[in-house]
Amino acid sequence: MNERDNEALSGSAARRENGLRDRGRLRDVSRSLPIALLRTREAVMRQFRPVLRSVDLTEQQWRVLRALDSVPEIDATGLAMATFLLPPSLSRILRDLEGRQLISRRPDPADLRAWLISLTPEGRKTIDAAGVWAETVYAAMTARIGQERLDTLMQLLRDIEQDLDVPLTGHGGVASDPRAE
């Protein structure tokens, strides 16, 4: 986004000062926490996409493989929760990864309707190959950001996630203040 686009989205200086639009209902998009988190996520993922392309993986496939790399096996529900993927998307991703022989599925003996999913040796090789490059990206980002700032950011993100784990006041998790975003 260029400077002009940023200025247009953020509005006049007076509105920027208090962070609210003239109608008083919503803050400027430049002060939206969800949008700021998405912009930051995009900046981070931009660094990792070449690594993922080098092993022919999408971001979502990588999330699944990374989650599977941390457990011996897991059911689809647990994997969906661990990767923040909706079950229909996860089903498609699992089918593709299984077709590439990066994962295997077996019936869960405790629930024959469910499947247990794990990495194959080929999946582990893919993780290892991408992991070397991913750690290089992490090292470069850490050099640019600084280890202390990165550690602080990670701790803040964990804290905020924990603080917001329970819905805010109001019905259905919607804050009672209509200006809250």
Side-chain angles (χ1 to χ4, degrees):
M1 179 182 304
N2 66 36
E3 187 95 15
R4 190 182 75 232
D5 294 338
N6 233 354
E7 180 63 28
L9 285 173
S10 62
S12 70
R15 287 184 302 183
R16 275 184 302 204
E17 277 182 31
N18 67 14
L20 298 176
R21 297 188 324 186
D22 290 335
R23 293 192 322 251
R25 290 185 42 225
L26 290 173
R27 64 189 65 235
D28 287 332
V29 71
S30 65
R31 297 186 40 85
S32 165
L33 179 59
I35 296 293
L37 290 169
L38 287 168
R39 281 194 313 261
T40 303
R41 178 196 184 278
E42 180 58 29
V44 169
M45 288 310 300
R46 196 175 306 123
Q47 311 308 311
F48 285 100
R49 285 191 187 111
V51 173
L52 298 179
R53 278 193 297 272
S54 76
V55 291
D56 193 29
L57 291 173
T58 66
E59 294 172 36
Q60 295 80 10
Q61 290 171 332
W62 177 247
R63 285 195 329 227
V64 168
L65 294 179
R66 287 283 285 128
L68 289 172
D69 190 44
S70 65
V71 296
E73 60 185 2
I74 190 170
D75 68 9
T77 301
L79 188 56
M81 290 172 53
T83 58
F84 295 92
L85 290 167
L86 296 173
S89 296
L90 180 61
S91 292
R92 182 179 24 82
I93 291 165
L94 292 176
R95 187 179 60 244
D96 293 345
L97 293 174
E98 190 173 34
R100 292 176 58 186
Q101 299 180 339
L102 299 177
I103 66 158
S104 64
R105 294 191 256 191
R106 69 178 184 89
D108 183 346
D111 180 358
L112 295 178
R113 297 169 298 165
W115 293 86
L116 294 174
I117 305 149
S118 61
L119 281 177
T120 62
E122 188 63 30
R124 290 196 192 288
K125 280 192 227 172
T126 301
I127 286 278
D128 291 344
V132 170
W133 292 107
E135 287 304 320
T136 302
V137 170
Y138 268 113
M141 286 191 324
T142 302
R144 185 173 298 172
I145 297 168
Q147 186 66 55
E148 187 175 334
R149 287 176 66 206
L150 187 57
D151 291 344
T152 299
L153 174 62
M154 292 299 291
Q155 186 60 53
L156 281 169
L157 290 170
R158 282 189 295 272
D159 291 348
I160 290 169
E161 179 183 9
Q162 186 175 12
D163 291 346
L164 297 178
D165 193 36
V166 175
L168 300 174
T169 60
H171 299 292
V174 177
S176 57
D177 182 353
R179 291 176 296 176
E181 182 176 68

